Amino acid sequence: MLYIVTVNAHRDKDLDCLIELRGCKPQKYGRVFELNAKDVNACNDKNNKNNIKVERKPDIEIRENFTYTFPAHCYSYRNTTSMKYAKTRAF
């Protein structure tokens, strides 16, 4: 199983990233989970427990080379298949 965990620490800009998988045949789809909030300064407290939450996103198509957009100020997690090598590049 391959897990890709990323952080886009930019306050305002989404990040388009090319992901290259080598040495494997990926599954057709992968699951995506994101930890994010509407406001970069948001926090959870006893009155607002879901300002920041993990959200399951629609599954994405996985190929040997694919692009994913990481939302501003978020932590993202994707999982797909086992592999030998992964390379990511932001543009």
Side-chain angles (χ1 to χ4, degrees), residues 8-71:
N8 179 358
H10 198 283
R11 289 180 71 90
D12 305 313
K13 292 186 181 181
D14 295 346
L15 177 66
D16 293 328
C17 188
L18 173 64
I19 299 172
E20 299 175 356
L21 305 177
R22 297 182 185 167
C24 72
K25 291 188 179 190
Q27 295 173 347
K28 187 167 181 152
Y29 293 97
R31 291 185 224 157
V32 178
F33 298 88
E34 290 178 2
L35 175 67
N36 207 344
K38 292 179 183 177
D39 182 353
V40 70
N41 294 314
C43 64
N44 290 345
D45 58 33
K46 66 180 181 177
N47 296 322
N48 298 293
K49 295 180 180 179
N50 290 312
N51 284 336
I52 303 171
K53 60 185 174 184
V54 175
E55 203 174 307
R56 172 122 188 235
K57 299 295 185 175
D59 289 354
I60 59 171
E61 186 175 352
I62 304 292
R63 288 179 247 124
E64 289 184 9
N65 296 303
F66 66 98
T67 300
Y68 189 81
T69 300
F70 300 100

